[in-house]
Amino acid sequence: MERTVTSVEWVAGKVRFIDQTKLPGEEVSVETSDYRVIADAIRTLQIRGAPAIGVAAAFAVLLAVHDKDIASQQDLEKKLYEAINYLSQTRPTAVNLFGALNRMRRAYEQASSSAMVSIWSHLELEARAIQQEDVEACRKIGELGAELIQQGSSVLTHCNTGALATAGDGTAQSIITTAARQNKILRVFVDETRPHFQGARLTSWELMKQGLEVVLITDSTAGFLMQQKEVNAVIVGADRIAGNGDVANKIGTYPLAVLAERHMVPFYVAAPTSTIDVNTKTGEQIPVEERKAHEVTHVSGVRIAPEGVKVFAPVFDITQNGLVTAIITECGILKPPYVESIAGLKRQPTQAVANET
Amino acid sequence: MERTVTSVEWVAGKVRFIDQTKLPGEEVSVETSDYRVIADAIRTLQIRGAPAIGVAAAFAVLLAVHDKDIASQQDLEKKLYEAINYLSQTRPTAVNLFGALNRMRRAYEQASSSAMVSIWSHLELEARAIQQEDVEACRKIGELGAELIQQGSSVLTHCNTGALATAGDGTAQSIITTAARQNKILRVFVDETRPHFQGARLTSWELMKQGLEVVLITDSTAGFLMQQKEVNAVIVGADRIAGNGDVANKIGTYPLAVLAERHMVPFYVAAPTSTIDVNTKTGEQIPVEERKAHEVTHVSGVRIAPEGVKVFAPVFDITQNGLVTAIITECGILKPPYVESIAGLKRQPTQAVANET
């Protein structure tokens, strides 16, 4: 099974990304040399998925410092900080965004005394490292996570955690496709994931392309499925994992975790270590983004609710660590107590090197 | 607050109903003298809500026996049984449908030795009694249920249980509007209720018409809301309640009940006694209707999932009696153990009379 799609990439000095809001109806690729286009794409969910957002942001910073009007290093520094600031305001929850921006800032600071051409190559190396580490993390997460999956499993997933959400083969979805290659997966129940239908639109599309048996359900069907003993494991991604193992992920994740616990179904969270934020002690400290009313009241431009209705539209919820059976990272499978397993995490050497060059 | 809308009524020998699939965009009334039109309307969710389905079915039987081609009592009996048989195949879960059809059959059997004009008036009386009892049940449920609501409550409801779902002011919604008249309701969180958006389309519309503060959420937001301690009570309706108090209701009810238990939020079920089916011993015996894939893959005619994707679309789930804080009927508030409280239920005299005349 090959990667179905590349969410975001650096091509000859430009960034190319796939507009995920148009899928699965249309596969539209956008190419830009303007970092603001990337920022807007992140804000409007054309680029989404915590790891993909991180990679896109790194490339966007690279675009900013390649502006042909830049005449001096001072100019370059100004553009760089402007871009980092602008990009940091797109979405608040996914920590990969801030992680990637911080790495680009640090990479610049380490190279700032060099010639401009050297700064450029240093920044490009860093952005490519962020991308490459994610590709590698996805592969490793798939490999490690697949060990947890029993033969003949029906698994349930939420939102989209595949190639579209990452630079590689995905997080939770990498586990599913790796386990499928090992003939362990009977079928994948895909939550449609309101309000943006990432499950219906993106996950179904990716998994069907890879030949898996997909069964689409509305988000509120998971309980009934578990009552019928149809689900052997729930596997989801994460947008930020606090130091204690609390997980911020797409709205609807927490109810799944509660149902899984009740029905004694293992509940797995898959994420690269770049999604773990030890500076956030608990889930309560994670800022949860709220989106606009029209994202709930309208579907494909058609209004489905009365005009003027108030809407509460948080995009994420927080799943307490006690509900999480294991967190699968590229550096190993973390088990409770997460405060300890996260603190004891050995990051991969590639990342350490990239952080320190 | 007046009733916002009349879901179904008998007007000068015809049945008039509001096509609920067109709301809130358009208020379309349909008038028909063909019982098959009613059956189709029930099947396609133009008429929906367990009590409203029962009332519509009773009126549909009345239409069938008013066919101008009927020449003899034998003809009439044939038409009546044909209609009952046809109507009974529209939807399997709501027991009110079968209850109403049984009452019409019994009413006919009791009058079958009379003159045709007397049979007609007997059947019309029975259909009107079914309607009137539901109006009265809604009022009484509202009155009794409102006593359970604390001052300053934010309540959460699922699907639509208002005037559109009944012949009267609703079940769960009657409690909410009655409590609102007593100034007890701060706001109503309305689950949008996928896949048909009855919450977004119908409940928001009805409650906003009545001046209540409505906050629309996607179905999977309830967990986050409860984490934030924003919900003081969950109130839902029912499509069938088994003899042990297990509740079949719109898909997504069971996860709400599980979340409510976890967050120590009372979980109330409101339904007329016509929704209680003592012949169904437990929830496991309740047939759960599955609907077609396109009802999930398409919204307002627009495809949101890849072509050919499999879909599992049960319309109801079963909430075990242990998760239900109380069942509010027109004959009293039932508390656990429900096997006993349901067995001890004293039905209202109106119904007993209607059953025995």
Side-chain angles (χ1 to χ4, degrees):
Chain A
M1 285 182 263
E2 276 186 31
R3 192 173 321 150
T4 47
V5 65
T6 299
S7 57
V8 56
E9 58 192 325
W10 181 254
V11 182
K14 293 189 172 186
V15 175
R16 183 192 293 159
F17 65 89
I18 186 153
D19 178 354
Q20 301 191 30
T21 62
K22 301 268 197 316
L23 288 171
E26 293 172 80
E27 283 186 52
V28 177
S29 264
V30 179
E31 245 183 53
T32 182
S33 50
D34 184 349
Y35 76 86
R36 287 177 202 83
V37 172
I38 305 293
D40 288 348
I42 293 171
R43 196 178 292 115
T44 57
L45 312 180
Q46 293 173 54
I47 300 170
R48 46 145 296 285
I53 290 172
V55 173
F59 285 146
V61 171
L62 206 54
L63 285 180
V65 298
H66 274 75
D67 191 320
K68 58 184 176 333
D69 293 338
I70 290 176
S72 63
Q73 199 212 311
Q74 219 175 348
D75 254 22
L76 184 148
E77 183 170 308
K78 189 163 164 275
K79 285 273 183 200
L80 178 110
Y81 288 136
E82 262 175 28
I84 288 174
N85 184 43
Y86 192 83
L87 285 154
S88 71
Q89 288 164 39
T90 49
R91 298 194 67 192
T93 305
V95 75
N96 310 60
L97 171 66
F98 308 104
L101 294 175
N102 280 338
R103 283 180 63 175
M104 293 302 281
R105 187 200 315 263
R106 278 204 306 274
Y108 168 72
E109 284 163 1
Q110 284 157 3
S112 60
S113 58
S114 319
M116 272 188 31
V117 65
S118 166
I119 294 175
W120 281 328
S121 68
H122 202 75
L123 286 170
E124 182 168 343
L125 275 176
E126 188 67 5
R128 285 189 186 278
I130 291 170
Q131 175 189 39
Q132 199 45 49
E133 285 162 29
D134 191 55
V135 171
E136 187 49 32
C138 288
R139 196 190 58 71
K140 195 74 192 168
I141 287 168
E143 217 173 272
L144 291 171
E147 290 171 21
L148 299 169
I149 306 301
Q150 308 293 315
Q151 199 76 32
S153 285
S154 292
V155 300
L156 171 67
T157 192
H158 191 65
C159 199
N160 174 266
T161 61
L164 288 165
T166 61
D169 291 329
T171 53
Q173 237 167 276
S174 175
I175 296 175
I176 294 169
T177 51
T178 306
R181 279 196 296 272
Q182 299 166 1
N183 293 315
K184 288 175 169 177
I185 302 288
L186 203 60
R187 69 178 64 81
V188 186
F189 291 109
V190 174
D191 273 358
E192 64 175 10
T193 317
R194 281 284 290 154
H196 293 284
F197 293 112
Q198 292 94 334
R201 294 192 301 105
L202 310 177
T203 304
S204 299
W205 181 74
E206 285 194 39
L207 292 178
M208 285 169 76
K209 269 195 173 196
Q210 295 184 297
L212 276 80
E213 161 110 349
V214 169
V215 179
L216 180 65
I217 57 171
T218 63
D219 300 328
S220 65
T221 304
F224 185 72
L225 271 182
M226 291 192 207
Q227 285 181 322
Q228 309 286 311
K229 305 195 192 312
E230 293 285 347
V231 180
N232 303 111
V234 178
I235 318 179
V236 299
D239 290 80
R240 190 185 303 203
I241 299 173
N244 71 342
D246 288 350
V247 174
N249 190 46
K250 178 53 37 70
I251 190 81
T253 301
Y254 169 64
L256 282 183
V258 171
L259 288 165
E261 184 191 50
R262 182 177 173 90
H263 292 278
M264 291 180 291
V265 173
F267 183 84
Y268 299 124
V269 174
T273 51
S274 56
T275 300
I276 300 175
D277 178 20
V278 290
N279 297 322
T280 304
K281 299 273 176 265
T282 72
E284 286 174 14
Q285 295 168 15
I286 301 177
V288 171
E289 178 183 6
E290 284 182 39
R291 308 271 311 176
K292 298 273 193 273
H294 73 88
E295 298 184 10
V296 172
T297 56
H298 289 69
V299 176
S300 309
V302 179
R303 168 175 284 285
I304 47 148
E307 285 203 39
V309 68
K310 286 189 189 170
V311 172
F312 177 56
V315 204
F316 306 101
D317 59 21
I318 309 295
T319 300
Q320 282 68 43
N321 53 15
L323 295 168
V324 179
T325 311
I327 299 173
I328 299 106
T329 76
E330 77 281 15
C331 302
I333 296 174
L334 308 181
K335 290 277 178 72
Y338 293 108
V339 175
E340 287 172 28
S341 52
I342 287 174
L345 200 55
K346 296 275 181 290
R347 309 263 169 155
Q348 294 296 81
T350 52
Q351 201 167 24
V353 169
N355 280 340
E356 279 149 33
T357 44
Chain B
M1 285 183 266
E2 276 188 30
R3 193 173 321 149
T4 47
V5 63
T6 299
S7 57
V8 54
E9 58 192 324
W10 180 256
V11 182
K14 293 189 172 187
V15 174
R16 184 192 293 161
F17 65 90
I18 186 155
D19 178 352
Q20 302 191 29
T21 63
K22 300 269 197 317
L23 289 171
E26 292 173 82
E27 284 186 49
V28 177
S29 263
V30 179
E31 247 184 52
T32 183
S33 50
D34 184 350
Y35 76 85
R36 287 177 201 81
V37 171
I38 304 293
D40 288 347
I42 293 171
R43 195 179 293 113
T44 58
L45 312 180
Q46 294 172 54
I47 299 170
R48 47 145 296 285
I53 290 172
V55 173
F59 285 145
V61 171
L62 206 53
L63 285 180
V65 297
H66 273 76
D67 190 321
K68 60 185 176 330
D69 294 338
I70 290 176
S72 63
Q73 198 211 313
Q74 215 174 351
D75 254 21
L76 184 148
E77 182 170 308
K78 189 162 164 278
K79 284 273 181 200
L80 178 110
Y81 287 135
E82 262 175 27
I84 288 175
N85 184 44
Y86 192 83
L87 285 155
S88 72
Q89 287 164 40
T90 49
R91 298 195 67 193
T93 305
V95 75
N96 310 58
L97 171 66
F98 308 105
L101 293 175
N102 280 338
R103 283 180 62 175
M104 293 301 282
R105 187 200 316 262
R106 278 204 306 273
Y108 168 74
E109 285 163 2
Q110 284 158 2
S112 61
S113 58
S114 319
M116 272 189 27
V117 64
S118 164
I119 294 176
W120 280 326
S121 68
H122 202 75
L123 286 170
E124 182 169 341
L125 274 175
E126 187 69 4
R128 285 190 186 278
I130 291 170
Q131 176 189 39
Q132 198 44 47
E133 286 162 30
D134 192 54
V135 172
E136 186 51 31
C138 288
R139 195 189 60 71
K140 195 75 192 165
I141 287 168
E143 216 174 272
L144 291 171
E147 290 171 22
L148 299 169
I149 307 301
Q150 308 292 313
Q151 198 77 28
S153 286
S154 292
V155 301
L156 172 67
T157 191
H158 191 65
C159 199
N160 173 267
T161 61
L164 288 165
T166 61
D169 292 328
T171 55
Q173 237 167 274
S174 175
I175 295 176
I176 294 170
T177 52
T178 305
R181 278 196 296 272
Q182 299 166 0
N183 293 315
K184 288 176 168 176
I185 301 288
L186 204 58
R187 69 178 64 81
V188 186
F189 291 109
V190 174
D191 273 359
E192 64 176 11
T193 318
R194 281 284 289 152
H196 292 285
F197 293 111
Q198 291 94 335
R201 295 193 301 105
L202 309 177
T203 304
S204 299
W205 180 74
E206 285 194 40
L207 292 178
M208 286 169 76
K209 268 197 175 195
Q210 294 183 298
L212 275 81
E213 161 110 349
V214 169
V215 180
L216 180 65
I217 57 171
T218 62
D219 300 328
S220 65
T221 303
F224 185 72
L225 270 182
M226 291 192 207
Q227 284 180 322
Q228 309 287 312
K229 305 197 192 311
E230 294 284 348
V231 180
N232 303 111
V234 178
I235 318 178
V236 300
D239 290 80
R240 191 186 301 203
I241 298 174
N244 71 341
D246 288 350
V247 174
N249 190 45
K250 179 53 37 71
I251 190 81
T253 300
Y254 169 63
L256 282 182
V258 171
L259 288 164
E261 184 191 50
R262 183 177 173 90
H263 292 279
M264 291 179 292
V265 173
F267 183 85
Y268 299 123
V269 174
T273 51
S274 56
T275 301
I276 300 176
D277 177 20
V278 289
N279 297 323
T280 305
K281 298 272 177 265
T282 73
E284 287 173 13
Q285 294 169 15
I286 300 177
V288 171
E289 177 182 9
E290 284 182 39
R291 307 267 315 174
K292 298 273 192 273
H294 73 88
E295 297 183 12
V296 172
T297 57
H298 289 68
V299 176
S300 308
V302 179
R303 169 175 284 284
I304 47 146
E307 285 203 37
V309 68
K310 286 190 189 170
V311 172
F312 177 56
V315 205
F316 305 100
D317 59 21
I318 309 295
T319 300
Q320 282 69 43
N321 53 15
L323 296 169
V324 180
T325 311
I327 299 173
I328 300 106
T329 75
E330 78 280 15
C331 303
I333 297 174
L334 309 180
K335 291 275 178 70
Y338 293 108
V339 175
E340 288 171 27
S341 52
I342 288 174
L345 200 56
K346 297 276 181 292
R347 310 264 168 154
Q348 293 296 81
T350 52
Q351 199 168 26
V353 168
N355 280 340
E356 280 151 32
T357 44

